[in-house]
């Protein structure tokens, strides 16, 4: 494959397993780390339109399959990680970590505390409309700047992204480079205390010291159960997994967490295939026990490794 000249780093066959939180996956056919926006735009403008492009953040919500990814994986570096406060708005580069954005905003007296416990970077948070404790990116996002697949720069208002539950309508192949958030004012000390409490709550209920990719499945939309007092309660994915008897269930090196059964873990040198197979087993068992088909929240990309017979 003939690729355009770049000022950043462009490598063939780059291993991706070390770039995901689950530490699995095959290589990228090509991995591109642009030097800056101009480098990224020029590369995409000159790249054959038939070559697939996959923008990758810090791999916090991702299973890369064992056969790797065809085409070009684009990973933004430190030059895309700036954070600036402008009045009541926070402008963050796509590579800025969500937790860093929350802290920087709080120091300036702006409330983006919901980002503090969301794993990953701003680009991925926008793409997935990430949320926590009842607040979502959609509640604060003003606009994003992106480099489109053909190399053109575009400013896209939040209203045009159709942000939904763990979803957005970002154009195919577009690479987010910056996002602007609106935030309410707050006392910096109070915001810092709130974030400390959020972190403590997360660490008490989630396996934060183990290899995971955050919540594995989305909470079922519109599903509810009736409690003893006749009150309706929204069903959670973890409770359905627990009820199906799958807390701590293992398949090869993959496991569902004992601490929080909606967390899929690389417990013992698992392959991507084992992790995905365990996830599918959970989906089937939950469907058998509840009639509800869980939907993946973790993104799964790439191709499976060839089998011994070449299949």
């Amino acid at each position: 494959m003939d690729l355009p000249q770049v000022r950043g780093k462009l490598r063939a066959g780059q291993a991706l397993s070390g770039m995901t939180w689950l530490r699995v996956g095959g290589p990228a056919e090509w991995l591109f780390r642009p030097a800056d926006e101009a480098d990224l735009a020029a590369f995409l403008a000159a790249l054959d339109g038939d070559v697939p492009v996959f923008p990758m953040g810090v791999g916090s919500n991702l299973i890369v399959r064992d056969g790797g990814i065809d085409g070009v994986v684009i990973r933004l570096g430190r030059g895309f990680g700036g954070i600036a406060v402008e009045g009541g708005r926070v402008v963050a580069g796509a590579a800025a970590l969500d937790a860093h954005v929350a802290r920087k905003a709080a120091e300036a007296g702006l409330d983006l505390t919901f980002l503090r416990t969301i794993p990953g970077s701003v680009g991925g948070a926008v793409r997935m409309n990430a949320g926590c404790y009842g607040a979502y990116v959609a509640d604060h996002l003003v606009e994003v700047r992106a480099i489109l697949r053909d190399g053109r720069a575009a400013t896209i208002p939040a209203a045009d992204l159709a942000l939904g539950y763990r979803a957005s309508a970002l154009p195919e192949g577009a690479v987010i480079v910056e996002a602007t958030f609106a935030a309410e004012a707050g006392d910096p000390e109070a915001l810092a205390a709130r974030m400390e409490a959020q972190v403590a709550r997360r660490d008490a209920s989630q396996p934060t010291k183990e290899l995971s990719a955050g919540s594995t499945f989305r909470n079922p939309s519109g599903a509810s159960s009736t409690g003893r007092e006749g009150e309706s309660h929204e069903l959670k994915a973890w409770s359905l997994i627990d009820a199906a008897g799958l807390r701590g269930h293992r398949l090869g090196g993959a496991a569902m967490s004992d601490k929080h059964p909606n967390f899929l873990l690389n417990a013992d040198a698992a392959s991507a295939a084992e992790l995905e197979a365990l996830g599918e087993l959970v989906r089937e068992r939950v469907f058998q026990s509840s009639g509800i088909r869980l939907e993946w929240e973790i993104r799964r990309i790439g191709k499976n490794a060839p089998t011994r017979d070449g299949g």
Side-chain angles (χ1 to χ4, degrees):
M1 183 192 305
D2 293 328
L3 297 180
Q5 294 295 310
V6 300
R7 289 181 289 107
K9 296 179 179 179
L10 183 60
R11 294 179 179 173
Q14 177 67 51
L16 296 175
S17 57
M19 299 181 188
T20 70
W21 284 25
L22 281 166
R23 296 295 187 264
V24 296
E29 184 175 3
W30 290 92
L31 177 68
F32 177 39
R33 298 176 185 264
D36 49 35
E37 283 188 37
D39 192 29
L40 172 60
F43 176 82
L44 289 176
L47 184 66
D48 186 326
D50 291 331
V51 176
V53 167
F54 179 74
M56 180 176 171
V58 295
S60 60
N61 189 44
L62 193 65
I63 292 177
V64 176
R65 296 188 175 105
D66 299 307
I69 301 175
D70 289 335
V72 180
V73 173
I74 297 176
R75 197 174 199 213
L76 305 183
R78 293 182 180 178
F80 295 85
I83 304 170
V85 177
E86 302 173 357
R89 295 187 173 185
V90 177
V91 181
L97 295 179
D98 301 325
H100 290 176
V101 175
R103 287 196 292 261
K104 189 79 170 181
E107 290 170 3
L110 294 176
D111 186 359
L112 290 177
T113 53
F114 81 100
L115 287 172
R116 176 63 183 87
T117 55
I118 295 176
S121 54
V122 164
V126 170
R127 183 178 292 272
M128 294 295 289
N129 187 25
C132 195
Y133 302 127
Y136 295 86
V137 164
D139 299 325
H140 298 274
L141 187 67
V142 177
E143 63 186 21
V144 299
R145 287 199 306 107
I147 305 299
L148 303 181
R149 177 60 183 82
D150 61 6
R152 290 180 297 123
T155 297
I156 308 174
D160 292 348
L161 291 175
L163 295 169
Y165 180 60
R166 301 295 188 262
S168 67
L170 195 72
E172 184 69 26
V175 182
I176 296 172
V177 293
E178 188 178 81
T180 300
F181 300 93
E184 293 184 1
D187 176 68
E189 291 187 4
L191 295 175
R194 183 188 302 170
M195 290 189 292
E196 287 183 10
Q198 288 173 346
V199 170
R201 176 180 173 185
R202 178 199 64 186
D203 290 348
S205 62
Q206 299 176 10
T208 54
K209 305 302 182 183
E210 301 185 69
L211 297 180
S212 82
S215 296
T216 305
F217 301 105
R218 302 177 182 183
N219 290 324
S221 177
S224 62
S225 63
T226 302
R228 293 181 179 178
E229 304 301 323
E231 295 180 353
S232 180
H233 302 278
E234 181 183 358
L235 282 176
K236 302 292 187 181
W238 75 264
S239 65
L240 294 170
I241 296 168
D242 208 19
L246 295 167
R247 181 187 290 265
H249 192 82
R250 296 181 70 109
L251 178 65
M256 303 308 296
S257 171
D258 281 312
K259 192 171 188 179
H260 192 309
N262 193 27
F263 277 65
L264 178 63
L265 306 178
N266 184 346
D268 186 15
S271 65
E274 288 175 334
L275 290 163
E276 190 168 8
L278 177 55
E280 288 299 324
L281 181 150
V282 168
R283 294 181 71 231
E284 185 59 33
R285 295 274 183 86
V286 167
F287 181 71
Q288 291 172 0
S289 66
S290 69
I292 295 173
R293 183 75 70 180
L294 293 176
E295 296 182 21
W296 284 89
E297 184 165 325
I298 295 175
R299 296 187 70 187
R300 295 152 296 131
I301 62 168
K303 56 188 180 182
N304 293 320
T307 58
R308 291 184 178 180
D309 61 6

